Amino acid sequence: DGGITQSPKYLFRKEGQNVTLSCEQNLNHDAMYWYRQDPGQGLRLIYYSQIVNDFQKGDIAEGYSVSREKKESFPLTVTSAQKNPTAFYLCASSMGGWLQPQHFGDGTRLSIL
Amino acid sequence: DQQVKQNSPSLSVQEGRISILNCDYTNSMFDYFLWYKKYPAEGPTFLISISSIKDKNEDGRFTVFLNKSAKHLSLHIVPSQPGDSAVYFCAASANMKGAQKLVFGQGTRLTINP
């Protein structure tokens, strides 16, 4: 089945630790995205990538880093510099370009211990 | 500065009736609009979209209307079914060299009552 896989579903982090969230897609999509959702709010864009080895900052990139070494993979690292990392993180992908809807994985909930 | 707003946090509709969810935007550069449905602890599911060159798009029970002069879009679901109970997000993007940076509203929780 084609789709977007995010792992793990739940993740706990101690203060001061970096943590990496996985996102893999087998849809052969060119573009991939990371969003964050906080309670009662909409999704906010963290980073996005239109092609391999290239990525751009979104609206709230501070304290996060990404890589895009393979077309199907777009991992997100939440660094210790991110002051409020507890949130629901969603990865998406699309064909890229105009009029192409983004499709989402089921998310990873990150909590600070 | 919220560029996309869903002013109704919740909506309750009787099964079989029409559900109308509303969304307003402020950025006149937005040219592509989407609606997503989301269940708790899951990712959003794409429902329907519309480009700025149209004012209506229909897919089964779902119809999206776009009023560019009012910067307003709405999603109509008819007839409403219990399985439609979820949070609905509208999103918008502006075409920027192929990059599609979606801006989301805060969501509207739709409850369909039997």
Side-chain angles (χ1 to χ4, degrees):
Chain A
D1 273 10
I4 302 167
T5 302
Q6 290 189 243
S7 61
K9 192 155 182 72
Y10 299 95
L11 191 55
F12 299 91
R13 191 192 96 173
K14 291 184 179 178
E15 294 271 2
Q17 281 183 338
N18 292 355
V19 63
T20 297
L21 283 61
S22 168
C23 178
E24 304 277 331
Q25 54 97 1
N26 59 5
L27 300 167
N28 200 32
H29 283 170
D30 290 313
M32 297 186 75
Y33 310 81
W34 275 105
Y35 293 88
R36 166 183 173 139
Q37 186 188 18
D38 293 286
Q41 296 190 33
L43 284 66
R44 291 182 291 165
L45 181 64
I46 304 172
Y47 266 98
Y48 64 101
S49 167
Q50 292 177 260
I51 56 171
V52 175
N53 292 322
D54 186 56
F55 48 82
Q56 310 294 331
K57 291 181 179 180
D59 300 320
I60 54 165
E62 186 174 350
Y64 300 97
S65 66
V66 293
S67 63
R68 186 87 187 275
E69 297 176 3
K70 298 186 297 183
K71 185 175 184 177
E72 56 270 19
S73 178
F74 191 39
L76 173 75
T77 297
V78 184
T79 75
S80 56
Q82 168 49 235
K83 300 207 182 312
N84 187 17
T86 297
F88 190 47
Y89 290 88
L90 288 154
C91 177
S93 70
S94 74
M95 295 283 289
W98 195 45
L99 302 185
Q100 296 294 333
Q102 294 178 23
H103 299 275
F104 286 81
D106 278 340
T108 292
R109 182 165 298 282
L110 174 64
S111 301
I112 302 303
L113 294 177
Chain B
D1 173 28
Q2 272 200 291
Q3 299 184 68
V4 178
K5 290 184 183 180
Q6 293 176 255
N7 291 316
S8 298
S10 63
L11 177 66
S12 187
V13 174
Q14 194 141 13
E15 183 179 357
R17 298 288 188 104
I18 183 171
S19 297
I20 300 176
L21 296 100
N22 293 302
C23 181
D24 297 296
Y25 62 95
T26 57
N27 188 343
S28 57
M29 298 298 291
F30 287 148
D31 56 10
Y32 183 47
F33 304 88
L34 308 90
W35 283 96
Y36 286 87
K37 173 182 179 180
K38 186 180 181 302
Y39 294 117
E42 293 184 11
T45 301
F46 169 69
L47 276 177
I48 192 169
S49 63
I50 188 168
S51 70
S52 57
I53 61 174
K54 292 185 174 184
D55 54 18
K56 177 183 174 181
N57 189 26
E58 196 171 350
D59 184 2
R61 295 186 299 116
F62 302 94
T63 303
V64 56
F65 295 91
L66 176 63
N67 182 334
K68 287 190 292 292
S69 60
K71 295 191 177 67
H72 177 84
L73 68 154
S74 61
L75 174 68
H76 292 210
I77 307 173
V78 56
S80 300
Q81 299 174 354
D84 296 330
S85 295
V87 177
Y88 289 78
F89 289 97
C90 67
S93 73
N95 187 15
M96 297 172 60
K97 299 179 183 177
Q100 190 197 82
K101 295 172 62 177
L102 290 182
V103 179
F104 283 81
Q106 314 94 299
T108 296
R109 181 177 302 278
L110 175 65
T111 302
I112 306 301
N113 302 309

